[in-house]
């Protein structure tokens, strides 16, 4: 989907041959790139992930990825550099999708089953690109699209999955190698092909530090090293770590290290102690071979730095070790106390205790040959866990979870009164939930934030195996695929059973059905029987029409209220989530009433020569709302949208 909506610009197509055992210099990709091997073999590394490749192998890396090649024999390959971005404006689904799984930044390699088709397109692409004329450039771009299609088709056929590179790892490596230059969050964003806001947020979530603060710490570390190992002047030290202004450097050094540079050098040389040393917090590596540790807390476990082996997501701090020892001591005391209490009870109870059997001593759960007791068979303790089936296999979850992190499906859980403790930022912007989510914290994509919240159940829709496994190490995790549910009833019943609140689910659906039925009856009574309603979205250069399985009001209008689509909205189109149309065809898809998602004001449509010809515009029968309102499809949003649209239709039918 993202490839289909992307604006692609070809940057270069290179044909490269190496000799036996040649090692090419490390190269940071200036744009996203495909590498297609034609013959020979080599060791190819993408950001430290090494692959032994031979002929007919495909690798992909995003902008900023470090490419290293060490040929074993004569090695021939093609490097295709391109830039891809979503045109503006674009739909919110695409924005969320590109943040979750950006195909232009993903890093992967695989051996295609049918390589000759790809090789032919790559060779022709390079030939056309080398001719440099505008028309040949266009032909090369068309061949690139054919190459991408063939590649994606083969990936899909082979069931191959791709991974997104670690954004913070790339940023850290770049800053570690270029700290002496002028680096801003904007320059990092341009380098890594993300927005400054997104890089700042992701870096902070993954490292606990902002990019700029990490850069300052890194520079302070390098400055300390120079002060202690050279006779460089303060001016020279400042300039070498990226501060041409010596006075500003002096101020920053004192702020972050605790003393002025000159005092630091004197104290360290005579064995004195200082308040803070950036060196201590930057002694290990998160980036292969070059980058340094960036978390200030010296007691941090730093599981993310371990190059291999199992790891835990729980911090092994000195404080937690003390707490663990204290807990063990308390348990020991408790066990001793219990033993004493049991001994006293046994003494008072005479010989009865001698006949106590394990719970499974008898088939019915009743201890055999117990004496002097009436009704010794107590009911079995209630089950505290249950097993549910998910796309990643069976998962054991609590029967009555109390601390749920709803990374996704927040609206469904709120409808059932589950009161999640955390969710994603975007879902918490849902205008239909704002008065119902007090106390819910934003977790974003931060594994560390989820871990800190100590949930007993995590609900997500991720299809990423690696991310799922990380979440599962924190708490039982249930992944529910996107578009699993056909309607609100399926969604509410599923989560009602999952959480063990089937009675609440049934009660909510009873109220939902009654309110939907009431709204539908009022609309049917108000509107003519042959009245048509269309659901559209205007993205400036693109117009989309929505059917019965869609958001933007599609489900509310056609499924819940049962209203008629316009003639142009055929049965086939109705089954699509959305369908693009040209402005010239707008009249075929515009009903008597129009539900329109757009950032524009109504005056813009009345002034447009094509839009202004629609009867709905002329008769002021357009329900205009923004994407922030129309995007959400959870049960609470669905009910609110149905009633909101029903009231509008009833009101407009009177005019």
């Amino acid at each position: 989907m993202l490839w289909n909506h992307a604006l692609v610009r070809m940057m270069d197509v290179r044909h490269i041959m190496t000799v036996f055992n040649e090692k090419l210099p490390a190269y940071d990709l200036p744009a996203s790139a495909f590498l297609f091997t034609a013959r020979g073999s080599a060791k190819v590394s993408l950001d430290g992930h090494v692959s032994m490749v031979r002929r007919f192998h495909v690798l992909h890396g995003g902008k900023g990825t470090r490419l290293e090649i060490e040929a074993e024999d004569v090695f021939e390959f093609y490097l295709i550099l391109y830039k891809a971005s979503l045109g503006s404006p674009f739909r919110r689904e695409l924005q969320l999708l590109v943040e979750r799984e950006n195909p232009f930044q993903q890093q992967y390699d695989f051996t295609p089953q049918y390589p000759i088709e790809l090789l032919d397109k790559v060779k022709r692409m390079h030939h056309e690109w080398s001719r440099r004329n505008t028309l040949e450039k266009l032909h090369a771009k068309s061949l690139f699209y054919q190459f991408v299609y063939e590649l994606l088709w083969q990936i899909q056929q082979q069931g191959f999955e791709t991974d997104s590179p670690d954004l913070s790892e790339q940023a850290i490596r770049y800053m570690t190698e270029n700290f002496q230059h002028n680096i801003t969050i904007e320059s990092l964003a341009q380098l890594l092909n993300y927005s400054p806001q997104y890089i700042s947020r992701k870096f902070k979530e993954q490292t606990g530090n902002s990019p700029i603060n990490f850069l300052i710490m890194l520079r302070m570390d390098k400055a300390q090293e120079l002060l202690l190992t050279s006779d460089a002047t303060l001016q020279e030290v400042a300039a070498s770590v990226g501060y041409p202004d010596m006075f500003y450097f002096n101020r920053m050094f004192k702020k972050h290290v605790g003393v002025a540079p000159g005092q630091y050098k004197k104290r360290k040389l005579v064995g004195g102690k200082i308040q803070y040393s950036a060196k201590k917090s930057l002694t290990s590596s998160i980036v292969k071979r070059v980058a340094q540790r960036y978390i200030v807390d010296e007691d941090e476990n730093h599981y993310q730095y371990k190059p291999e082996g199992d790891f835990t997501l729980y911090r092994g701090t000195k404080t937690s070790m003390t707490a663990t020892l204290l807990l063990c001591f308390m348990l020991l005391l408790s066990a001793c106390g219990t033993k004493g209490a049991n001994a006293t009870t046994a003494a008072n109870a005479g010989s009865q205790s001698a006949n106590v059997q394990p719970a499974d001593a008898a088939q019915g759960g009743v201890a055999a040959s117990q004496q002097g007791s009436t009704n010794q068979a107590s009911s079995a303790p209630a089950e505290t866990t249950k097993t549910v089936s998910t796309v990643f296999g069976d998962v054991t979850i609590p029967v009555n979870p109390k601390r749920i992190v709803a990374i996704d499906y927040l609206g469904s859980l709120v409808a059932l009164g589950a009161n999640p403790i955390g969710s994603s930022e975007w879902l918490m912007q849902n205008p239909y939930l704002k008065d119902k989510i007090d106390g819910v914290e934003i977790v974003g994509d931060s594994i560390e934030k989820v871990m800190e919240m100590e949930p007993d159940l995590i609900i997500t829709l991720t299809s990423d195996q690696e991310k799922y496994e990380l979440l599962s190490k924190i708490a039982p995790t249930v992944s529910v695929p996107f578009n699993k549910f056909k309607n609100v009833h399926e969604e509410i019943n599923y989560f009602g059973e999952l959480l063990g609140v089937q009675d609440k689910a049934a009660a909510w659906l009873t109220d939902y059905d009654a309110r939907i039925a009431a709204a539908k009856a009022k609309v049917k009574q108000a509107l003519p029987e042959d009245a048509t309603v269309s659901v559209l979205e205007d993205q400036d250069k693109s117009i989309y029409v929505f059917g019965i399985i869609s958001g933007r009001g599609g489900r509310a209008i056609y499924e819940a209220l049962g209203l008629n689509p316009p003639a142009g909205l055929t049965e086939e189109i109705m089954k699509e989530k959305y369908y693009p149309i040209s402005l010239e065809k707008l009249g075929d898809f515009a009903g008597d009433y129009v539900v329109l998602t757009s950032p524009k004001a109504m005056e813009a449509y009345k002034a447009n020569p094509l839009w202004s010809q629609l009867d709905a515009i002329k008769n002021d029968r357009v329900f205009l709302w923004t994407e922030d309102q129309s995007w959400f499809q959870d049960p609470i949003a669905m009910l609110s949208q149905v009633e909101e649209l029903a009231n509008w239709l009833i009101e407009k039918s009177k005019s």
Side-chain angles (χ1 to χ4, degrees), residues 27-32 47 61-67 105 170-171 173-174 191-193:
Y27 178 59
D28 291 337
L29 296 176
S32 301
D47 272 348
K63 182 179 180 180
T65 300
R66 166 151 295 188
L67 172 65
Q105 286 295 117
Q170 294 184 80
R173 191 195 69 235
Y174 177 78
L191 174 73
L192 298 173
N193 206 26

Side-chain angles (χ1 to χ4, degrees), residues 164-197:
S164 297
D166 189 292
L167 184 62
S168 297
E169 186 174 314
Q170 294 184 80
I172 289 170
R173 191 195 69 235
Y174 177 78
M175 287 189 284
T176 303
E177 297 179 354
N178 298 277
F179 64 88
Q180 69 273 28
H181 301 304
N182 182 30
I183 298 176
T184 64
I185 190 63
E186 288 75 19
S187 64
L188 271 178
Q190 185 177 12
L191 174 73
L192 298 173
N193 206 26
Y194 286 98
S195 69
Q197 296 80 6

Side-chain angles (χ1 to χ4, degrees), residues 231-245:
D231 290 329
T233 65
L234 287 185
Q235 180 68 58
E236 291 169 338
V237 170
S240 68
V241 296
Y243 294 107
D245 186 338

Side-chain angles (χ1 to χ4, degrees), residues 185 189 194-203:
I185 190 63
Y194 286 98
S195 69
Q197 296 80 6
Y198 182 72
I199 286 184
S200 294
R201 177 167 60 85
K202 293 295 292 185
F203 196 97

Side-chain angles (χ1 to χ4, degrees), residues 188-352:
L188 271 178
Q190 185 177 12
L191 174 73
L192 298 173
N193 206 26
Y194 286 98
S195 69
Q197 296 80 6
Y198 182 72
I199 286 184
S200 294
R201 177 167 60 85
K202 293 295 292 185
F203 196 97
K204 185 72 177 289
E205 288 174 357
Q206 293 174 351
T207 71
N209 225 327
S210 70
I212 298 306
N213 197 45
F214 168 78
L215 179 62
I216 293 172
M217 292 167 59
L218 181 62
R219 286 171 168 171
M220 294 302 106
D221 178 64
K222 297 295 182 181
Q224 290 176 73
E225 182 180 337
L226 283 171
L227 287 169
L228 297 179
T229 60
S230 74
D231 290 329
T233 65
L234 287 185
Q235 180 68 58
E236 291 169 338
V237 170
S240 68
V241 296
Y243 294 107
D245 186 338
M246 186 187 69
F247 297 102
Y248 182 72
F249 163 73
N250 192 71
R251 195 160 61 247
M252 294 296 290
F253 191 96
K254 187 173 183 179
K255 176 182 177 182
H256 288 273
V257 180
V259 294
Q263 292 176 307
Y264 170 82
K265 186 170 185 175
K266 289 179 183 178
R267 292 188 186 185
K268 291 297 288 186
L269 291 178
V270 298
K273 293 184 178 181
I274 61 171
Q275 177 182 344
Y276 169 81
S277 172
K279 181 91 173 165
K280 276 189 173 183
S281 64
L282 295 169
T283 55
S284 189
S285 172
I286 188 173
V287 181
K288 285 78 177 173
R289 302 186 302 279
V290 291
Q292 295 170 299
R293 188 169 292 177
Y294 53 88
I295 296 179
V296 178
D297 183 2
E298 296 173 20
D299 297 328
E300 176 63 42
N301 187 37
H302 296 289
Y303 67 86
Q304 63 268 51
Y305 302 106
K306 299 180 181 179
E308 57 186 3
D310 295 335
F311 62 92
T312 176
L313 286 171
Y314 294 94
R315 296 179 175 176
T317 63
K318 296 176 183 177
T319 303
S320 63
M321 179 61 72
T322 304
T324 302
L325 292 173
L326 181 59
L327 176 61
C328 292
F329 182 66
M330 292 173 64
L331 289 173
L332 180 62
L333 290 178
S334 175
C336 293
T338 303
K339 183 176 180 181
N342 288 341
T344 304
T345 304
N348 293 337
S351 62
Q352 290 181 358

